[in-house]
Amino acid sequence: MGILLFCVAEEAKSVVPEILATEQSQGIDLYVLAQSRSSDQARQDPVVELKDGETFESDFIGSSEVSCQSWAREQIPVDKSLDSELIAIVDQRSTRDKTIIVQFFNEKPGLDFPPYGTLPPEENAWYSFRIRYNDAFTLVAALTETAFDVSYPVYFGRKDEFTNEEGVFEVQKAEKAAAGEDAAAALSCS
C-alpha cells in the first residue's frame, strides 16, 4: 500500500527525491507522489522514485493540509493500492529541517486506555505528526502494524511528551517508550 505524498511548496520539490529514496534504499516503496488533481490520477503509473535532479509537476503546490486530506479521501476508494489511513506532506519547512508531516486518519471509535482515556479521541478525524522523514517507516509501522495497546498510549496518549520544542514528534524516543525501555530506564535510575 502506497502512502500519498503531497508536495505543497515549490521550494520543497528539491527534497522530494531524497524523501522517496529514503525507504527505497531498504527496498520499500512507501510513497506514491501525488501530482495531479485529475480524476484519472489513480490510473497513471505511480511515481515512487525520482532521480536526483529529476523534476516533477504538482497540482498541490500552495494547497492546504485540509485540501490534501480531502483529495486523498476521494482517491482512496478509486485506487485500492493507496493506504487508506495515511498521507504525507512535504512543505516549505521540509527543506530546512528534513521533516515531513505524516497524517493518520482514524475512522473507527477509539479504545479506552486508562489513564489516557479514549485513543484516538475522535473518529473520522486526522491526526498529524511532524517527524524527521527518515523515521516515516517506523511511524507507519507503529500506527498500522503494532498492537493498539502498545502503540496508541504512546503515539496518541503521550504525543505531547514526545514532541520536542520545535514541534517535531521524536519517533525513536516514542518507540523506546512503546518497547518499555523508558520505564526500565526510570527504574534503574531510582
Side-chain angles (χ1 to χ4, degrees):
M1 293 278 193
I3 297 170
L4 279 170
L5 179 70
F6 295 90
C7 181
V8 299
E10 188 68 36
E11 58 271 42
K13 288 169 78 173
S14 64
V15 298
V16 169
E18 185 178 346
I19 292 168
L20 291 171
T22 299
E23 301 305 334
Q24 286 234 317
S25 67
Q26 305 297 315
I28 301 167
D29 289 335
L30 187 62
Y31 304 110
V32 174
L33 183 60
Q35 292 182 272
S36 170
R37 290 184 184 271
S38 153
S39 61
D40 62 339
Q41 162 83 23
R43 290 187 291 276
Q44 297 174 2
D45 288 333
V47 175
V48 297
E49 176 181 24
L50 292 169
K51 294 173 181 44
D52 280 339
E54 186 176 353
T55 61
F56 65 94
E57 295 304 315
S58 174
D59 290 349
F60 297 96
I61 301 296
S63 294
S64 68
E65 289 181 29
V66 171
S67 177
C68 295
Q69 293 165 349
S70 295
W71 190 83
R73 297 302 300 159
E74 291 170 10
Q75 291 305 303
I76 288 165
V78 175
D79 185 347
K80 301 294 186 208
S81 71
L82 298 175
D83 190 290
S84 64
E85 299 173 315
L86 295 158
I87 64 171
I89 299 172
V90 181
D91 59 7
Q92 185 178 24
R93 182 174 168 181
S94 301
T95 61
R96 291 191 313 271
D97 66 4
K98 296 189 181 280
T99 63
I100 60 172
I101 301 166
V102 174
Q103 297 189 328
F104 173 79
F105 187 75
N106 180 54
E107 282 188 288
K108 305 170 196 119
L111 302 171
D112 189 38
F113 290 101
Y116 308 107
T118 301
L119 299 177
E122 296 179 46
E123 64 183 283
N124 294 315
W126 288 95
Y127 291 88
S128 188
F129 297 85
R130 179 168 289 277
I131 63 167
R132 286 175 186 76
Y133 63 76
N134 58 352
D135 286 334
F137 184 78
T138 304
L139 175 73
V140 168
L143 295 177
T144 62
E145 303 298 324
T146 303
F148 298 142
D149 62 335
V150 173
S151 63
Y152 281 16
V154 172
Y155 284 85
F156 296 106
R158 296 172 62 188
K159 183 178 178 192
D160 290 344
E161 181 182 335
F162 296 108
T163 302
N164 68 25
E165 53 282 342
E166 287 90 35
V168 177
F169 184 80
E170 297 181 349
V171 174
Q172 297 308 317
K173 287 183 180 179
E175 279 299 290
K176 287 180 181 179
E181 293 176 27
D182 66 340
L187 288 174
S188 68
C189 291
S190 48

